[in-house]
């Protein structure tokens, strides 16, 4: 993005140098947790973060890749700024007006949430009761899982504030299905400059 923040969505673009430092700090923080699995989006910027998490685990973990954790596909909006897309179009999109879903393979929030929750459930099936697994993904993917845990209306999902390389923790009860958010959008104190995420 730089001086021209654009929507990348599911485009495979690397992390910035600051983004890499943030991912390293997040990986360092997560070494205090004994993770059974480290799951990731297939996009390289998520895979970088997932490798940091794995490298800080006592066990030798391989990254488990889930296509369902890929970032929202912005379709024809990829590479465009907010001004180029238009504030009205973005507002309609955030309100889940599926008629405004961009062409060229673009996804709506309901479509995104459906695939994300399906992959999350697959990961939960792989994770033993009493153990924890981590998902390294993207802004909209985190919003999809967090909004589900909070039982939010999907039309409010876009309002969830999630920091870059932040950590959100949700407990899942295997017997009742109850979800408990322990913390959200936590960023370890690192002394790094503040990141700017102008588009996603």
């Amino acid at each position: 993005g730089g001086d021209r923040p654009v929507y990348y969505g599911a485009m495979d673009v690397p992390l910035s140098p600051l983004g890499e430092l943030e991912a390293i700090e997040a990986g360092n923080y997560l070494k205090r947790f004994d993770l059974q699995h480290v799951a990731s989006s297939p996009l390289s910027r998520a895979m970088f973060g997932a490798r940091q998490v794995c490298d800080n685990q006592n066990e030798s973990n391989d990254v488990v890749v889930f296509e369902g954790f890929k970032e929202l596909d912005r379709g024809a909006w990829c590479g465009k700024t907010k001004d180029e897309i238009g504030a009205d179009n973005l507002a309609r999109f955030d309100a889940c007006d599926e008629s405004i879903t961009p062409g060229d393979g673009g996804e709506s929030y309901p479509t995104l949430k459906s695939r994300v929750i399906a992959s999350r459930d697959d990961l939960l099936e792989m994770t033993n009761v009493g153990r924890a697994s981590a998902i390294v993904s993207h802004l909209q993917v985190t919003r999809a899982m967090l909004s589900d845990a909070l039982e939010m209306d999907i039309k409010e999902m876009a309002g969830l504030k999630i920091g870059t390389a932040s950590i959100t923790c949700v407990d899942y009860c295997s017997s009742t299905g109850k979800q408990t958010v322990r913390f959200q959008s936590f960023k370890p104190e690192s002394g790094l400059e503040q990141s700017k995420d102008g588009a996603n």
Side-chain angles (χ1 to χ4, degrees):
D3 294 331
R4 187 176 182 276
V6 299
Y7 284 87
Y8 293 122
M11 293 172 65
D12 197 3
V13 295
L15 289 171
S16 67
L18 176 58
E20 290 187 352
L21 291 174
E22 287 187 322
I24 291 169
E25 288 297 327
N28 286 337
Y29 178 83
L30 288 173
K31 67 184 177 183
R32 69 193 66 197
F33 299 99
D34 179 22
L35 300 173
Q36 184 173 0
H37 301 291
V38 178
S40 177
S41 153
L43 300 182
S44 61
R45 57 191 187 270
M47 288 292 293
F48 179 91
R51 286 192 291 270
Q52 308 313 308
V53 177
C54 282
D55 288 349
N56 279 284
Q57 290 293 299
N58 291 325
E59 297 180 22
S60 178
N61 284 342
D62 292 325
V63 178
V64 185
V65 176
F66 286 82
E67 284 289 329
F69 293 145
K70 185 183 288 187
E71 180 60 296
L72 175 74
D73 195 327
R74 293 284 184 176
W77 290 353
C78 285
K80 293 186 176 181
T81 65
K82 292 180 179 181
D83 287 341
E84 289 167 341
I85 295 168
D88 181 63
N89 286 338
L90 286 169
R92 288 170 60 193
F93 183 88
D94 287 349
C96 296
D97 177 352
E98 298 206 43
S99 70
I100 199 66
T101 303
D104 295 337
E107 296 177 293
S108 65
Y109 281 142
T111 299
L112 167 80
K113 189 168 183 177
S114 177
R115 67 165 166 85
V116 168
I117 298 305
S119 290
R120 180 208 65 189
D121 289 347
D122 287 343
L123 179 60
L124 287 173
E125 285 290 324
M126 296 168 52
T127 305
N128 296 338
V129 174
R131 296 294 306 275
S133 292
I135 299 168
V136 184
S137 57
H138 311 279
L139 169 64
Q140 306 298 350
V141 175
T142 301
R143 281 176 169 167
M145 290 184 284
L146 181 57
S147 66
D148 188 66
L150 295 172
E151 300 182 335
M152 290 178 62
D153 187 316
I154 195 169
K155 295 178 182 179
E156 299 175 1
M157 190 178 93
L160 285 170
K161 302 298 183 185
I162 307 292
T164 56
S166 63
I167 301 167
T168 293
C169 178
V170 181
D171 277 349
Y172 298 91
C173 179
S174 59
S175 57
T176 67
K178 180 177 174 58
Q179 303 180 53
T180 304
V181 179
R182 298 300 181 189
F183 52 86
Q184 65 186 74
S185 194
F186 168 75
K187 296 189 77 163
E189 184 60 45
S190 62
L192 296 173
E193 65 180 284
Q194 186 173 354
S195 60
K196 298 177 181 178
D197 189 20
N200 50 68

